[in-house]
């Protein structure tokens, strides 16, 4: 799964729909915590609490003492979010190829991470996408 720059750029570069209006093919909407996850998190973390604070530090190898304490706020493992990606197909587009590029990019995201501290294991995501639904106007 190697995506070419032009394939990725095609999703985000402006598409002229008129002399003045330019839009992209791909729109990423916000992802919200599901009601099920809200209930589960509040059961374990407390009413109105959806994130946890994790304390970390590094060890000074010369003297074996903890140094540089820091606190990381994070979404607990297993939390589920629901979001939406809108893929706009224009005349002349290869719809199947564009869908494949989106799906490949999502697979690549699963192999990487979202947000900061990914090298420490944070931000790992698993994406369960549904099939594309065609909507006509």
């Amino acid at each position: 799964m190697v995506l070419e720059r032009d394939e990725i750029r095609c999703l985000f570069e402006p598409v002229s729909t008129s002399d003045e209006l330019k839009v992209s093919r791909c729109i990423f909407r916000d992802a919200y915590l599901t009601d099920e996850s809200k209930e589960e998190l509040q059961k374990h973390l407390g009413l109105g609490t959806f994130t946890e604070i994790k304390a970390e530090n590094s060890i000074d190898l010369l003297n074996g003492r903890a140094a540089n304490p820091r606190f990381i706020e994070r979404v607990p493992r297993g939390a589920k979010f629901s979001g939406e990606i809108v893929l706009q197909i224009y005349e002349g587009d290869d719809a199947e190829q564009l869908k494949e590029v989106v799906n490949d990019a999502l697979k690549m995201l699963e192999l990487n991470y979202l947000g900061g501290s990914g090298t420490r294991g944070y931000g790992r995501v698993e994406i369960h996408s549904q099939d594309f639904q065609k909507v006509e106007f």
Side-chain angles (χ1 to χ4, degrees):
M1 156 184 42
V2 175
L3 295 176
E4 298 294 325
R5 284 186 179 170
D6 287 344
E7 292 174 320
I8 296 285
R9 190 172 53 228
C10 180
L11 294 176
F12 300 102
E13 68 187 357
V15 177
S16 293
T17 57
S18 71
D19 288 339
E20 298 166 9
L21 182 63
K22 294 186 179 192
V23 295
S24 75
R25 287 180 176 84
C26 219
I27 300 169
F28 292 81
R29 301 258 166 87
D30 289 338
Y32 294 97
L33 194 60
T34 65
D35 289 339
E36 177 187 335
S37 282
K38 283 180 185 177
E39 289 176 22
E40 193 66 26
L41 290 172
Q42 290 183 100
K43 202 184 317 179
H44 297 287
L45 301 173
L47 189 60
T49 305
F50 305 103
T51 59
E52 62 187 6
I53 306 295
K54 181 177 182 275
E56 293 185 342
N57 61 37
S58 57
I59 305 297
D60 183 330
L61 297 177
L62 296 176
N63 62 25
R65 293 188 183 143
N68 304 316
R70 61 191 173 274
F71 297 91
I72 307 291
E73 182 177 18
R74 64 184 188 175
V75 176
R77 180 181 181 161
K80 295 180 182 174
F81 292 79
S82 180
E84 179 181 54
I85 299 171
V86 177
L87 179 60
Q88 302 181 105
I89 308 295
Y90 295 95
E91 187 176 325
D93 285 346
D94 182 342
E96 292 309 310
Q97 193 250 351
L98 289 173
K99 291 176 189 178
E100 187 177 321
V101 169
V102 169
N103 284 326
D104 285 349
L106 292 174
K107 288 176 194 168
M108 290 172 67
L109 178 59
E110 287 184 333
L111 297 172
N112 209 325
Y113 60 90
L114 277 177
S117 302
T119 57
R120 292 190 189 110
Y122 297 141
R124 184 169 180 188
V125 295
E126 185 176 319
I127 298 171
H128 300 273
S129 59
Q130 297 179 356
D131 291 333
F132 288 91
Q133 299 173 1
K134 185 174 183 177
V135 178
E136 293 188 36
F137 295 93

